[in-house]
Amino acid sequence: MMYFAAVGFVLGYIIITEKESVGAMFFDSHLHTRFSADSEMTAPEALTAANKLGLGLVFTEHIDFSYPGELDFVFSPEEYWAAYEPLRGDYLRLGVELGLVPGETEKARQFLARAPFDEVIGSIHLVDGRDLYDPSGYKGREQKEMYASYLRLMAKMVRENPYIDVLGHIDYIARYAPYERSELCYEDYPQEVDEVFRTLIETDTVLEINTRRFNDAGAVKNLRVLYQRYQKMGGEYITIGSDAHQSEAIGAHFSLAKEMAESCGLTPITFQARQKTKIF
Ligand SMILES: [Zn+2]
Ligand SMILES: [Zn+2]
């Protein structure tokens, strides 16, 4: 009940609920609140939305030490803990989404040592120092070469940062790449994708189902092939995350994500104190 009491405190009223069965709770394991430079969502907004959906949450705030744009994607773990630790409990866990960049492993380790994070997502946001969000990063680059570089960097970064719990949004590049057929298709990059999955399995890192692109049937179709391959190579677990930056996006497309996990033979989990926790 701690979470509800805490939310009630923040909102100025007490939410009464019968929800005691934490074991039956499903988690959205990837979302951003105002500690991320690109989100203004508050914790009470997120928790109220999640409560309505019967979901637990893991806040995964952005930490990108070398972000090239104007926004500052660095936050203080101490301030994060001071603000949210009173809300942390069975329904809320506190994590981080770490942008993986060559040469920053030691910096990342030092950052992570400053708070007892529940979950660490590692993500590739930058290739050659440019955010994949930025169209100029694709200029003069063939899609095949660009996507293969992205996947090779991903495998290398997971290998060099084996302490991460989860690999975030494998299809991040397909959100923004300005090519005619921007989908990340397994059949175009089988060796590179296999190397990512092999590295995940060898380092005990869990792949994420990120539902951000689940409103696109083509994306879902291609992602299903990737998750099937992950399972075939020995992957057992999956986290599911909306990557919400606004409360309306929390838990988006989770029915489809659950169906995908099940049909691919993958078990959905979340993390608590960096340990895998089963969810239902
Ligand atoms: Zn991300
Ligand atoms: Zn994110």
Side-chain angles (χ1 to χ4, degrees):
M1 290 302 289
M2 187 192 138
Y3 148 67
F4 290 101
V7 174
F9 173 74
V10 172
L11 296 176
Y13 61 90
I14 299 293
I15 298 166
I16 297 166
T17 175
E18 295 297 315
K19 211 169 269 145
E20 292 285 354
S21 177
V22 176
M25 175 152 288
F26 207 86
F27 270 74
D28 186 336
S29 298
H30 186 160
L31 70 145
H32 301 271
T33 76
R34 62 182 184 82
F35 276 88
S36 296
D38 57 355
S39 172
E40 292 184 355
M41 180 156 54
T42 66
E45 280 167 1
L47 291 167
T48 302
N51 185 26
K52 280 187 194 145
L53 297 166
L55 281 175
L57 298 178
V58 188
F59 291 167
T60 51
E61 309 297 350
H62 282 297
I63 177 81
D64 287 85
F65 297 113
S66 305
Y67 188 73
E70 282 179 13
L71 293 175
D72 180 9
F73 283 99
V74 179
F75 68 94
S76 154
E78 292 80 13
E79 283 174 28
Y80 180 45
W81 228 252
Y84 290 167
E85 208 278 334
L87 303 169
R88 187 179 176 218
D90 291 333
Y91 306 92
L92 176 66
R93 280 121 198 209
L94 302 180
V96 61
E97 181 183 9
L98 171 69
L100 299 172
V101 171
E104 293 190 348
T105 300
E106 196 42 46
K107 213 171 178 177
R109 281 188 189 277
Q110 284 173 17
F111 178 90
L112 295 173
R114 286 165 58 190
F117 293 103
D118 285 304
E119 175 187 289
V120 178
I121 300 176
S123 293
I124 300 296
H125 294 135
L126 307 181
V127 171
D128 299 331
R130 284 214 167 100
D131 193 333
L132 292 162
Y133 174 81
D134 175 4
S136 69
Y138 300 88
K139 271 208 184 103
R141 298 189 74 164
E142 293 279 337
Q143 180 174 6
K144 264 228 124 137
E145 180 268 321
M146 186 71 188
Y147 277 43
S149 299
Y150 164 74
L151 291 165
R152 280 196 292 268
L153 176 66
M154 190 178 280
K156 182 174 182 291
M157 289 296 96
V158 172
R159 184 81 64 192
E160 287 179 15
N161 300 273
Y163 55 84
I164 64 171
D165 303 311
V166 178
L167 173 66
H169 47 52
I170 191 168
D171 61 331
Y172 183 75
I173 196 167
R175 286 188 196 174
Y176 308 113
Y179 303 113
E180 202 175 313
R181 188 171 156 272
S182 61
E183 209 50 61
L184 175 64
C185 299
Y186 177 74
E187 67 262 29
D188 294 336
Y189 311 95
Q191 284 170 358
E192 288 84 359
V193 171
D194 281 1
E195 182 55 21
V196 169
F197 291 162
R198 196 173 299 121
T199 309
L200 290 178
I201 289 151
E202 285 174 13
T203 56
D204 192 25
T205 305
V206 173
L207 185 63
E208 171 189 74
I209 294 183
N210 187 297
T211 62
R212 178 73 84 87
R213 300 179 61 246
F214 269 44
N215 57 350
D216 177 340
V220 171
K221 192 165 159 250
N222 281 290
L223 284 166
R224 193 181 292 275
V225 176
L226 291 173
Y227 295 120
Q228 282 165 345
R229 181 66 188 168
Y230 169 65
Q231 194 273 341
K232 202 168 175 204
M233 289 188 69
E236 290 179 67
Y237 301 107
I238 205 100
T239 59
I240 299 181
S242 65
D243 213 348
H245 288 64
Q246 291 171 324
S247 60
E248 307 83 67
I250 289 172
H253 310 292
F254 267 36
S255 303
L256 182 52
K258 285 185 201 177
E259 179 276 311
M260 186 182 282
E262 198 181 337
S263 72
C264 294
L266 297 165
T267 304
I269 57 157
T270 188
F271 281 85
Q272 181 174 21
R274 312 293 303 276
Q275 300 298 312
K276 294 187 189 79
T277 312
K278 284 204 177 172
I279 48 178
F280 303 95

